[in-house]
Amino acid sequence: MATPARTYGVEAFREALDSAAAPDRQATLAREAAFAREAAPAREAASARQAAFARFAETGLPHHKIEAWKYTSLVHLARTRFQPAAANYELTGALPARLDGAERAVFVNGRHVAMLSDPPTAGFESAHRAGLVLALGAAADDDPMLSLAVALGQDGAVLDLQDGAAIELLYITAPGSGPQMAHSQNRIRVAAGASATVIERHIALGAGEATLANGATAIELGEGATLTHVKLQAEAANATHVWHHLATIPAHARYDNFVVSVGGGLARNRVTTHLVGAGGHCTLDGAYAGRDRQHLDHTSKIVHAVADTTSRQVYKGVLDDRARGVFQGHIVVAEDAQRTDGHQLNRALMLSDTAEIDSKPMLEIYADDVKCSHGATAGDLDETQLFYLQSRGIPQDQARRLLVEAFLAETIDAIPFAPARAAALALVQEHLAR
């Protein structure tokens, strides 16, 4: 008889489920009194939360024996007694500069703060919505942390974007008196034929006890729609950050995802895209820089479900000290997805002998007429370029920083929304200057 797989940390999160579900029960009772028909979604959402937690309980916290988490374990979270993050509106640090041309919605410890945000405009909602739970619940089967986000998520953004819309979702972690966790959910929809931009920015104001930020964003594009989606992650050294983007891309739609990650003790950014219409395209690009003992994981899965779809993926990372990087890129080409064109590449610069990179690019192809490739490289700085800069009077430390910045900027330069591109480059420069 096979030995059941050990699960980690389930009990530590179970009591949080009651507090997370409470608003649903209250909403149900209130609505039953006055709006009986509206109570049904709330009851359905409560049921979805319970189902999601049951899926999480089957696995527990992810660990190395789960294939998708082979290089990243979250078992350390079981050793910390996290409490749901309290609302915190008395921030002690300054907010980052606004991005010109983008509206801003601010979330502190996972909760929307209206007084720090622009007035909600058409297409923006906040507060827990039954639809958030239901939109993500069905996708949570193979990801225990996504299941946990669905089960415990209290707040998030619901965006219905029209042509030309640009919005920044600013997530702030404000450490409290003890370890705290926040689980979030977002839902982004872009109208058919429209072009929109969303920037997710995750920062910490202050450092203190350990934090866990766990969340997911569901993206639904109309036919012919384009979404530029930029994520900037720079949380504190004692933070664990786990986020999953899930996008469905119909005919002639385009989804461009850019991730720039320099913060957190452990950060995992996962993107899953399904190309379900001919002419659909996705670009997944990332730039990351780690030092000390940071662990930065970028995992993606692109499913080409129909014929005549394309994808491009480039991740570039720089690792120093004892930092560890993980890249897992999985392209799936279905049997009927003829004329698929998909390519992925991971390049890493290793600045010390004790830094580590685990690259796992993978193609899974069931069609005949395809053009697909993958690759991964790792190496040190180009000594010729370093010598060239030094020979022109640039000190070695500055020369190395310039080369590293240029290496990462090749990816950042592809961000089409200029204010987000500038913010991303500033984030990298600040990290390298420390």
Side-chain angles (χ1 to χ4, degrees), residues 24-107:
D24 285 336
R25 288 201 295 271
Q26 293 170 4
T28 299
L29 292 173
R31 289 173 181 172
E32 279 180 342
F35 308 104
R37 282 184 296 181
E38 293 185 12
R43 285 198 297 270
E44 194 175 351
S47 177
R49 284 183 184 277
Q50 294 288 347
F53 192 83
R55 287 195 294 272
F56 166 74
E58 291 176 2
T59 306
L61 289 168
H63 50 82
H64 296 311
K65 292 186 178 179
I66 300 174
E67 183 61 27
W69 294 81
K70 182 177 181 179
Y71 304 106
T72 299
S73 172
L74 298 184
V75 171
H76 69 284
L77 296 178
R79 296 193 293 270
T80 303
R81 196 67 173 178
F82 287 100
Q83 296 296 321
N88 184 345
Y89 307 131
E90 298 179 358
L91 302 178
T92 58
L95 300 185
R98 296 179 62 94
L99 301 176
D100 291 339
E103 298 177 58
R104 170 179 277 184
V106 178
F107 295 79

Side-chain angles (χ1 to χ4, degrees), residues 245-415:
H245 293 148
L246 305 101
T248 302
I249 306 166
H252 306 295
R254 179 184 181 107
Y255 175 62
D256 294 324
N257 179 290
F258 302 86
V259 175
V260 178
S261 182
V262 300
L266 185 153
R268 175 176 164 107
N269 296 285
R270 181 179 180 185
V271 186
T272 300
T273 65
H274 286 81
L275 293 148
V276 297
H281 173 84
C282 73
T283 297
L284 309 183
D285 285 343
Y288 56 94
R291 59 159 58 103
D292 300 325
R293 289 181 175 272
Q294 282 185 279
H295 182 110
L296 304 175
D297 178 331
H298 295 85
T299 293
S300 65
K301 183 176 183 179
I302 300 172
V303 179
H304 294 262
V306 300
D308 300 309
T309 58
T310 57
S311 66
R312 296 290 184 270
Q313 187 175 21
V314 178
Y315 282 79
K316 302 180 77 171
V318 178
L319 301 167
D320 203 352
D321 303 323
R322 299 181 68 85
R324 184 179 183 187
V326 176
F327 171 77
Q328 297 183 106
H330 185 188
I331 293 178
V332 180
V333 181
E335 184 174 358
D336 294 332
Q338 303 296 346
R339 299 175 296 284
T340 287
D341 184 349
H343 303 276
Q344 64 177 214
L345 174 65
N346 177 47
R347 295 181 61 195
L349 276 181
M350 315 300 288
L351 302 184
S352 78
D353 293 337
T354 50
E356 181 178 343
I357 179 71
D358 294 295
S359 289
K360 184 184 174 186
M362 183 165 62
L363 303 176
E364 184 177 343
I365 300 173
Y366 299 98
D368 300 323
D369 182 12
V370 303
K371 291 192 296 183
C372 292
S373 68
H374 63 70
T377 65
D380 201 347
L381 287 172
D382 188 321
E383 291 296 332
T384 303
Q385 294 177 341
L386 190 60
F387 175 79
Y388 176 83
L389 292 177
Q390 290 182 265
S391 68
R392 276 145 182 80
I394 299 175
Q396 185 183 48
D397 287 350
Q398 185 178 351
R400 290 175 66 85
R401 192 163 64 243
L402 287 172
L403 291 177
V404 169
E405 180 182 321
F407 175 75
L408 296 176
E410 289 176 1
T411 299
I412 294 171
D413 284 347
I415 298 174

